Amino acid sequence: MRNMRAKTAAIAVVSALALVTACSSENESGDTGGNGGGPTDGGSSLSGTLAGAGASSQEAAQQAWMAGFQSANPDVTVSYDAAGSGAGREQFIAGGVAFAGSDAYLDDEELTAATEQCGGDVVEVPVYVSPIAVIFNLPGVDSLNLSPSTIAQIFNQQITNWNDEAIAADNPDVELPDLAITPVNRSDESGTTENFADYLSQTAGEDWPHEVSGEWPVGGGEAAQGTSGVVAAVSGGEGTIGYADASQANGLGTVNVGVGEEFVPYSPEAAAAVLGVSERVADRGEHDFAFDLARDTTEAGTYPIVLLSYGLACGSYDDAAQGELARAYLSYIVSEEGQAAAAEAAGSAPISDELRQQIQPAVDAIGNAG
């Protein structure tokens, strides 16, 4: 088990970019740091193809990033297969894609393997912050207040009916039906699952006794592939409840989460506020910006069920052109313009200028690190 309080993908800065085709420390290419390759550039000299895979939560943001980047660089083709965080990390480590995105940072074993594949430094930076919504389909009910303990017991199948007294206690003005609860979880290994499970582990105590992992630990519920699969399963049922990137909640009922003495609805602003009480994981390399999320915070106005999505890349590549494209694309993603595009398309929280300044040297190192 990953030491999740001190080693879990943090915050919800979410996004996808990891580059790994043949990574080697012998290679260098021209610098396109800053907003290199972004729409603010003049005529672009970039050309080629950049393929990636990873977190399905980032799909809407990736579509916006690809459109903006390719508009400024018409001779570049970027693709992104939203196959899930686990699949993206596997392909990145295997060298099968040029970039990948992950809703959980690389664990120690994965980091070692990625370092070997890259032939040196691994670049890991947050690119996308987004709330994870607890979504449900209950006739006539648009929102519910639920404490961390109640959420844990529902997904651990200890609370099995919507009119349970624990749900009713926090929702005295809601007419709750006598209806069975059907929890829906991801069937694939998922960073969204890992972030959600980490939240439950940090906040629900004995009501969530499971190890934190990208694989769902409770059998007997309904399982669905990817974010879109979970949303479809919740939408297609009655009495269903699941978890998904908030950008894809699609009008379903959503949960206001108990934080301290209040119940907080999800929002980009509330998700981003968690960053201020979270810390960077130590001893992971100069260009590795993995964060620990303080999901058990009681700070007013924070929404702790968030994912911080990462871009992964190599510090150097055998193919210098791939390094140049990776650096330019990731530079656009973390730029103010790229973050605004993701916020508009996916409802994510733009990363702060302070964080951008911290991670920009790591992005500039892509394809340049020895």
Side-chain angles (χ1 to χ4, degrees), residues 90-183:
E90 287 177 3
Q91 292 184 59
F92 171 58
I93 290 168
V97 291
F99 72 89
S102 176
D103 295 339
Y105 61 71
L106 296 167
D107 65 24
D108 291 345
E109 183 177 345
E110 290 171 330
L111 183 58
T112 297
T115 301
E116 292 176 358
Q117 168 64 24
C118 289
D121 284 352
V122 174
V123 175
E124 184 169 32
V125 295
V127 291
Y128 176 86
V129 182
S130 179
I132 297 171
V134 180
I135 54 177
F136 62 87
N137 190 357
L138 205 56
V141 181
D142 295 327
S143 67
L144 288 172
N145 297 330
L146 295 179
S147 71
S149 175
T150 301
I151 296 171
Q153 290 181 72
I154 288 172
F155 281 93
N156 202 32
Q157 300 176 34
Q158 303 302 305
I159 293 177
T160 59
N161 198 290
W162 282 106
N163 65 0
D164 187 276
E165 60 183 14
I167 301 175
D170 289 330
N171 299 276
D173 299 326
V174 178
E175 185 175 346
L176 296 166
D178 181 7
L179 180 66
I181 298 174
T182 302

Side-chain angles (χ1 to χ4, degrees), residues 133-359:
V134 180
I135 54 177
F136 62 87
N137 190 357
L138 205 56
V141 181
D142 295 327
S143 67
L144 288 172
N145 297 330
L146 295 179
S147 71
S149 175
T150 301
I151 296 171
Q153 290 181 72
I154 288 172
F155 281 93
N156 202 32
Q157 300 176 34
Q158 303 302 305
I159 293 177
T160 59
N161 198 290
W162 282 106
N163 65 0
D164 187 276
E165 60 183 14
I167 301 175
D170 289 330
N171 299 276
D173 299 326
V174 178
E175 185 175 346
L176 296 166
D178 181 7
L179 180 66
I181 298 174
T182 302
V184 180
N185 59 266
R186 289 281 289 268
S187 61
D188 54 319
E189 183 181 359
S190 161
T192 306
T193 293
E194 186 165 345
N195 279 274
F196 183 55
D198 184 43
Y199 161 75
L200 296 176
S201 179
Q202 288 194 38
T203 61
E206 294 181 357
D207 290 319
W208 191 257
H210 309 287
E211 291 189 355
V212 176
S213 169
E215 297 180 354
W216 187 249
V218 183
E222 183 174 347
Q225 174 80 22
T227 299
S228 59
V230 170
V231 171
V234 173
S235 300
E238 189 170 294
T240 46
I241 186 170
Y243 56 92
D245 186 83
S247 67
Q248 300 185 46
N250 293 343
L252 289 162
T254 56
V255 169
N256 306 319
V257 174
V259 178
E261 299 298 319
E262 64 179 351
F263 290 95
V264 181
Y266 78 81
S267 70
E269 295 76 18
V274 178
L275 270 174
V277 293
S278 301
E279 298 179 356
R280 182 180 173 186
V281 181
D283 302 323
R284 286 178 62 91
E286 178 185 1
H287 301 134
D288 193 308
F289 284 81
F291 284 85
D292 293 325
L293 281 179
R295 303 186 192 275
D296 56 354
T297 181
T298 59
E299 188 77 19
T302 59
Y303 183 87
I305 315 179
V306 298
L307 63 82
L308 177 57
S309 213
Y310 293 88
L312 311 175
C314 289
S316 60
Y317 291 82
D318 284 338
D319 184 344
Q322 285 289 288
E324 184 178 26
L325 288 176
R327 182 171 63 254
Y329 185 47
L330 190 53
S331 291
Y332 171 61
I333 284 177
V334 303
S335 72
E336 185 175 357
E337 186 170 1
Q339 289 292 296
E344 181 176 357
S348 57
I351 63 175
S352 67
D353 289 337
E354 181 181 4
L355 179 60
R356 183 180 296 108
Q357 291 171 9
Q358 292 178 40
I359 67 176

